[in-house]
Amino acid sequence: MPRTPSIIRAAGLVLLALSGPAAAQAGKAEAPIPAATLALMAQKGVTAASPVLFRAYKKESEIEVWKKGPSGYVFIKTFPICRWSGQLGPKRKSGDRQTPEGFYTVPQRQMNPNSHYYLSFDVGYPNAYDRAHGGTGSAVMVHGICSSMGCFAMTDGTVGEIYAIARDALKGGQAAFQFQSYPFRMSAEAMARHRTDPNFAFWRELKAGSDRFEASREELQVSVVAGRYAFAPSRNPAVEAAVATRQAVEEARIAALAEAGEPAVRTTYSDGGQNAFWAAYTARGGAVGDVSRPEALAFAGQEVVIVPGHRAARPVPEAVWSAWAAGSALSPRRMAGFVPVYERAADPFGALAGPIPTRYGDSLPSWLTAGRGGLTLGHAHPFGSTAGLIASAETP
């Protein structure tokens, strides 16, 4: 007997009820990369299958996407972070709410299509550096929902695209992708401003990696030596020379900025921060889901001045000081017969005009030498002989 339409519909509803959540879960994990992002990749000469690399900046609340092209990694786009927690500085232990800083690796096994936070991947904390410094904790994620307890919270829609970009790179043959996490964009200006921070020495290690990537556009080959980050040199001597040059220039700029009076600050947070894009979006009534500790965002990124700034004295322009000199009583125009030293003829025998001092006494002023020896050298000491003064000074 043929099935009636009502029975077919009922069976379909039962199947949908049973398979709906699983199908929806699989659907979001396999959602394609948006066409606009694929177009950006094509403009840079890369594809969805090209290797990927991510760079996170806590202070700016951003995650950058970089893809490997024929001449190295190229920038694709930036995603705003909806929420991160803690302060600037590395994660040290489980429960400290710190979002980690350092260089991490994400293989396929750390991708989570069944996350309670929509989609996610584990960044790989603690890495070898963290473990060398006693770091504890686990499950530090880039995930959906705008709530963080040490993670990079991105909202569902944003993490969906990030997940798709990472997924397709891994499907394309990349064994694992790198996730670089920084306290802020590692410019010389930012480093100079944070030069008194307790984390400064650690941040210099991160900057060494950041500068290497900026100069080489090669994925960092990271190791830990004696508790410090170390980076393998580029196989290309020209690239390695460019890295060395950039690092030297950046170090010199940091020192110059400090010398020029750049203030030293410490950036403090009640509990992490949020990108200004999401702050404006939610202020207009936009929905991003549950936001962790929203009251803390009012006290995010407060700069405490540790060393006040000052303006370095600027050199006086030549046109100004030459005008000053022209009007001075010591101006050559007012001194008859004056010839500047740089306009005088050199005296080849000038060095032989007097004896060359060979000991301390020989280099004393002529009137003091005369006083010691009781001799008259053609001019007297303005206060009389110094013999008695010297004799009394030498008497025990």
Side-chain angles (χ1 to χ4, degrees):
M1 186 173 72
R3 298 179 180 179
T4 63
S6 59
I7 295 175
I8 294 173
R9 284 196 299 272
L13 290 173
V14 170
L15 290 172
L16 181 61
L18 293 175
S19 63
Q25 197 79 10
K28 68 182 179 183
E30 294 301 324
I33 299 173
T37 301
L38 291 174
L40 288 174
M41 294 181 185
Q43 291 174 9
K44 299 295 182 69
V46 297
T47 68
S50 303
V52 70
L53 181 150
F54 296 94
R55 307 179 85 197
Y57 305 94
K58 289 162 63 172
K59 189 173 188 291
E60 292 80 6
S61 297
E62 294 178 343
I63 292 181
E64 294 178 344
V65 179
W66 293 72
K67 285 285 230 169
K68 188 176 182 180
S71 301
Y73 277 85
V74 292
F75 170 74
I76 301 300
K77 65 186 302 184
T78 298
F79 290 99
I81 296 174
C82 192
R83 196 73 171 87
W84 61 271
S85 58
Q87 305 290 323
L88 299 184
K91 183 175 182 62
R92 296 299 189 193
K93 61 183 180 179
S94 178
D96 63 3
R97 297 187 63 84
Q98 282 292 99
T99 304
E101 296 170 6
F103 305 97
Y104 299 91
T105 302
V106 184
Q108 178 63 49
R109 67 177 180 275
Q110 290 169 210
M111 302 286 288
N112 186 4
N114 303 309
S115 173
H116 292 296
Y117 297 90
Y118 193 72
L119 293 167
S120 67
F121 61 78
D122 191 321
V123 302
Y125 174 90
N127 62 12
Y129 179 96
D130 301 319
R131 291 192 297 271
H133 291 268
T136 60
S138 62
V140 175
M141 305 283 183
V142 173
H143 62 61
I145 304 179
C146 194
S147 178
S148 172
M149 292 185 293
C151 296
F152 300 89
M154 303 301 297
T155 75
D156 293 356
T158 307
V159 81
E161 183 172 345
I162 292 176
Y163 187 95
I165 292 171
R167 177 202 65 213
D168 284 4
L170 293 172
K171 285 184 177 180
Q174 188 176 14
F177 60 85
Q178 190 168 85
F179 188 87
Q180 304 175 8
S181 179
Y182 300 102
F184 39 72
R185 294 190 177 276
M186 308 302 286
S187 66
E189 289 78 8
M191 292 294 287
R193 288 181 66 80
H194 291 87
R195 63 187 180 274
T196 61
D197 194 284
N199 295 301
F200 184 72
F202 169 67
W203 290 341
R204 291 186 72 174
E205 296 178 44
L206 299 190
K207 180 164 174 56
S210 176
D211 286 345
R212 174 168 289 278
F213 179 79
E214 292 287 350
S216 69
R217 298 301 167 90
E218 297 175 351
E219 182 174 332
L220 300 176
Q221 304 303 309
V222 186
S223 62
V224 179
V225 178
R228 293 174 56 86
Y229 277 116
F231 308 95
S234 173
R235 295 180 179 180
N236 185 332
V239 170
E240 189 60 24
V243 170
T245 298
R246 180 183 176 89
Q247 291 178 339
V249 168
E250 287 293 288
E251 285 294 322
R253 289 186 63 211
I254 294 171
L257 286 164
E259 181 68 22
E262 183 73 17
V265 304
R266 186 170 301 165
T267 308
T268 64
Y269 296 80
S270 177
D271 183 25
Q274 178 181 60
N275 188 277
F277 170 84
W278 292 118
Y281 180 77
T282 55
R284 295 194 302 268
V288 296
D290 293 333
V291 180
S292 59
R293 297 198 61 190
E295 75 285 353
L297 295 174
F299 304 97
Q302 304 294 312
E303 287 195 346
V304 179
V305 177
I306 307 300
V307 178
H310 64 273
R311 292 182 178 274
R314 295 183 178 180
V316 178
E318 183 178 353
V320 175
W321 62 253
S322 61
W324 290 346
S328 168
L330 299 179
S331 170
R333 299 178 184 177
R334 298 191 177 189
M335 298 174 66
F338 174 81
V339 179
V341 173
Y342 53 83
E343 293 183 3
R344 299 174 189 172
D347 181 2
F349 304 106
L352 303 178
I356 301 176
T358 57
R359 55 190 177 86
Y360 174 75
D362 292 338
S363 63
L364 292 173
S366 57
W367 60 264
L368 185 55
T369 305
R372 288 176 61 87
L375 301 175
T376 301
L377 300 182
H379 54 276
H381 180 262
F383 304 107
S385 174
T386 61
L389 176 63
I390 294 173
S392 63
E394 293 177 348
T395 301

